[in-house]
Amino acid sequence: MAEAQPQRVSTRATGVVGIAVLCSRVLGLIREQVFAGLFGAGRNLDAFLIAFRVPNLLRDLFAEGALSTAFITTFSKKIATEGDESAWRLGNKVATLTAFFMSAVTLLGIIFAPQIIYVMTGFGGWSPDKTATTILLTRIMWPFILLVSLAALVMGMLNAKNIFGPPAMASSYFNLGSIIGGVAFGYWLDPHFGTRSLIGLSIGTLIGGLWQLTAQFPSLRHVGYRYHPDFQWRDQGVQTVLTLMGPAVIAASAVQVNVLVNSGFAARVTDAAGHVIDGPVSWLNIAFRLMQLPLGIFGVAIGTVTLPLVSRTAALGDMAGFRSALAHAMRLVMLLTIPAAVGLILLAEPIISVIYQHGRFTTEATRQTAAALRFYAIGLAAYSAVKVLAPAFYAIDRRYLPMMVSIFSILVNVALNWFFMFKLGLGHRGLALAVSLVAIINFSLLYIMMRKYAGPLETGALFGLLAKLLIPLALLAGVCWLGLETMFYPGAHLPAWQKVFAVLLVIGVAAVVFFGSAFLFRVNEVRDIVDLFRRRFGRSV
């Protein structure tokens, strides 16, 4: 029998997804920038963000978390073992079930919105009028979870057919719809963008969700899928998806539930006099959004390409290929996210100032948001690696392990939140630090378990990569420090265009220095990226 060939995550496919996710994340930043400029980091924006938090949490847990992981795993195995027609039938059954179930969830969410918001705002910590506004916005945005669940299902079908670009770009249409529709309806309802205009932002969210779903339909038809309602939910494939989803919901919940819990703590942050203050929810949300830029470009992109590959190799019994692909994916994640984390820690204030410090977003808001971003960035590499590692357990039928780790992580997060906020007095900074520490714990436990059940994961190569990156990371940090000292020193008042140019220049030089030095140190994963550009552009390096 021929020896199994090492499996490698396609750097080309990862690049395509990365570019698409970059567009989505940049538009997401613009969306946050526009909303922060119109409303500031205060009462109104806090209300909108809390209202959006629950449907957005369910999107991460069910749609782009559990449903996506369970469906792609089962769908990819179906294609590998039974062919396309069987897989399309499974798709019809799961799509029909998803539409039915999420419609019921939407109805329940609208009915019980007051109780949900009561819990999310620290058990009634907000004023009655602010709470009433948040409840109204929540009810308007609940159908978003139905739209985005169907969009995630379509994305899963396309990814299993090795179509990565169009589904990754679909999130860009969500952000465009949110910006265009939200601002247009908000202005129509209140040209001064007061509390009433928040209804417009909520309507824009639904427009964006619908656009994200329908934008993928042409690609889906191109690969041969035709939807037909199918209520035969006793099918073995459907049962497999549902069986995987239960543990996947809990496993995917760790970071998102922790962020949700943190929002409840943030809603109770007080000043020196003991009064609840406005702003911490917005500071944490904006900081988390900025962390999601490298997370999406690198962690999510690599995870998206890796899951169908490891599912197919596991279905065919190629465990050597499974381990090889997974180990290679984790090294790519570390290579790309660790320097991003260092850059975010050092350049937090200049980046936030350039993107958000306009209109009602003040210098103090920039300072507070930067403090949260620095602590979030500590866990960026671990958070990204979990996006790759956790779904792989479903391919080897060890679905309960990520679930147990996540339950443990949520308990640890609550304890850390309480300790950092009430014992150490770190406020919202402590909440961000708790998320990072939990992500590191989560990844460490999952890695140990994967080594136990799947075998060696080329750990020596991973540590070798980290050792080779020490000097490139030191050089990157030096470039960032030099930029801070020469361009962003205290008291510097640069025009807006010069601030933008300076931030882009420092980031660009730091990236060139890091990857150039890593290439000289013979980091194989960097050479993979260089080979991709050679093939793509026909140039020699």
Side-chain angles (χ1 to χ4, degrees):
M1 182 177 178
E3 183 179 353
Q5 294 297 316
Q7 296 291 323
R8 291 290 183 265
V9 175
S10 169
T11 50
R12 182 179 184 278
T14 302
V16 169
V17 177
I19 292 171
V21 174
L22 173 62
C23 293
S24 174
R25 292 297 194 257
V26 169
L27 286 169
L29 286 177
I30 293 173
R31 174 177 175 265
E32 299 288 342
Q33 180 186 31
V34 169
F35 293 173
L38 291 174
F39 296 99
R43 176 185 183 280
N44 284 339
L45 190 58
D46 278 0
F48 175 78
L49 293 175
I50 286 291
F52 185 52
R53 185 59 53 81
V54 173
N56 194 48
L57 171 69
L58 291 179
R59 175 187 71 171
D60 291 325
L61 291 184
F62 289 100
E64 297 177 1
L67 176 61
S68 181
T69 298
F71 180 73
I72 291 177
T73 301
T74 308
F75 194 79
S76 297
K77 289 182 177 180
K78 206 74 154 171
I79 292 174
T81 57
E82 299 180 23
D84 286 355
E85 289 302 318
S86 179
W88 295 141
R89 288 194 295 271
L90 173 63
N92 283 329
K93 293 177 173 65
V94 176
T96 305
L97 177 59
T98 300
F100 180 83
F101 178 76
M102 285 303 174
S103 296
V105 169
T106 298
L107 181 60
L108 291 173
I110 293 171
I111 293 172
F112 292 103
Q115 290 77 15
I116 294 171
I117 297 305
Y118 176 77
V119 173
M120 289 193 61
T121 56
F123 297 95
W126 282 1
S127 63
D129 59 334
K130 187 175 180 181
T131 301
T133 299
T134 308
I135 292 170
L136 173 62
L137 302 180
T138 302
R139 283 174 163 159
I140 294 172
M141 286 190 282
W142 260 105
F144 170 75
I145 184 60
L146 168 63
L147 297 171
V148 79
S149 295
L150 294 173
L153 199 64
V154 174
M155 179 191 72
M157 294 182 193
L158 292 174
N159 287 348
K161 295 294 292 180
N162 294 319
I163 305 296
F164 297 105
M169 278 297 296
S171 295
S172 297
Y173 300 121
F174 163 70
N175 288 314
L176 281 174
S178 298
I179 296 169
I180 298 170
V183 173
F185 276 99
Y187 179 81
W188 178 58
L189 291 169
D190 182 358
H192 300 290
F193 285 96
T195 302
R196 183 173 172 79
S197 63
L198 294 172
I199 297 174
L201 298 191
S202 302
I203 296 172
T205 299
L206 298 183
I207 294 172
L210 181 61
W211 198 353
Q212 180 178 354
L213 171 61
T214 56
Q216 300 181 79
F217 286 172
S219 297
L220 195 60
R221 292 184 64 86
H222 181 72
V223 296
Y225 176 72
R226 301 293 184 271
Y227 173 70
H228 303 288
D230 191 335
F231 295 90
Q232 301 299 317
W233 299 335
R234 293 183 179 275
D235 177 79
Q236 182 59 45
V238 175
Q239 297 302 316
T240 301
V241 172
L242 295 177
T243 301
L244 291 174
M245 273 192 67
V249 168
I250 300 174
S253 68
V255 174
Q256 292 303 325
V257 168
N258 290 340
V259 170
L260 180 63
V261 170
N262 287 7
S263 295
F265 275 92
R268 303 288 294 183
V269 173
T270 59
D271 57 18
H275 300 123
V276 175
I277 61 176
D278 291 323
V281 173
S282 300
W283 302 333
L284 286 171
N285 182 80
I286 291 170
F288 196 69
R289 167 68 69 177
L290 282 169
M291 192 190 73
Q292 285 182 318
L293 182 61
L295 170 67
I297 297 171
F298 306 130
V300 174
I302 295 170
T304 299
V305 176
T306 302
L307 181 55
L309 175 60
V310 297
S311 297
R312 285 194 296 268
T313 53
L316 297 173
D318 181 11
M319 291 306 296
F322 172 89
R323 292 192 296 269
S324 176
L326 192 58
H328 183 241
M330 285 190 287
R331 291 198 299 274
L332 282 177
V333 165
M334 296 297 174
L335 169 69
L336 297 171
T337 56
I338 292 177
V342 172
L344 287 176
I345 291 171
L346 294 173
L347 301 176
E349 282 200 35
I351 291 172
I352 294 169
S353 176
V354 164
I355 297 175
Y356 290 104
Q357 196 173 312
H358 311 284
R360 298 176 183 174
F361 199 93
T362 64
T363 302
E364 176 62 14
T366 294
R367 189 179 69 83
Q368 298 286 6
T369 305
L373 178 59
R374 292 188 182 101
F375 284 108
Y376 272 139
I378 293 172
L380 174 60
Y383 187 12
S384 301
V386 168
K387 294 286 186 181
V388 174
L389 187 57
F393 281 90
Y394 300 90
I396 60 171
D397 198 25
R398 297 286 180 178
R399 57 187 179 274
Y400 291 105
L401 296 178
M403 180 188 73
M404 292 187 293
V405 171
S406 291
I407 292 173
F408 175 72
S409 297
I410 292 170
L411 296 175
V412 170
N413 178 66
V414 174
L416 290 176
N417 279 346
W418 178 83
F419 180 72
F420 289 146
M421 186 168 165
F422 297 113
K423 290 297 183 181
L424 298 185
L426 294 178
H428 71 291
R429 296 168 298 166
L431 303 179
L433 177 59
V435 170
S436 290
L437 293 179
V438 166
I440 293 170
I441 293 170
N442 201 344
F443 168 70
S444 300
L445 293 175
L446 290 175
Y447 190 86
I448 293 169
M449 291 178 178
M450 183 59 77
R451 277 177 52 86
K452 177 180 179 181
Y453 290 104
L457 293 174
E458 303 175 13
T459 305
L462 177 60
F463 280 110
L465 168 68
L466 296 178
K468 288 181 180 179
L469 292 183
L470 290 177
I471 293 178
L473 286 172
L475 294 174
L476 179 147
V479 171
C480 294
W481 176 83
L482 186 63
L484 289 171
E485 290 295 311
T486 58
M487 300 181 189
F488 307 111
Y489 55 88
H493 297 289
L494 299 176
W497 72 268
Q498 288 187 13
K499 288 170 65 176
V500 173
F501 176 77
V503 168
L504 293 177
L505 177 64
V506 173
I507 293 174
V509 172
V512 170
V513 168
F514 173 79
F515 286 105
S517 57
F519 182 80
L520 293 177
F521 277 91
R522 299 183 178 276
V523 176
N524 292 331
E525 288 71 23
V526 173
R527 292 175 175 265
D528 289 343
I529 298 172
V530 171
D531 288 342
L532 169 65
F533 279 92
R534 277 178 179 167
R535 295 192 299 269
R536 182 70 178 84
F537 299 106
R539 297 175 184 170
S540 60
V541 177

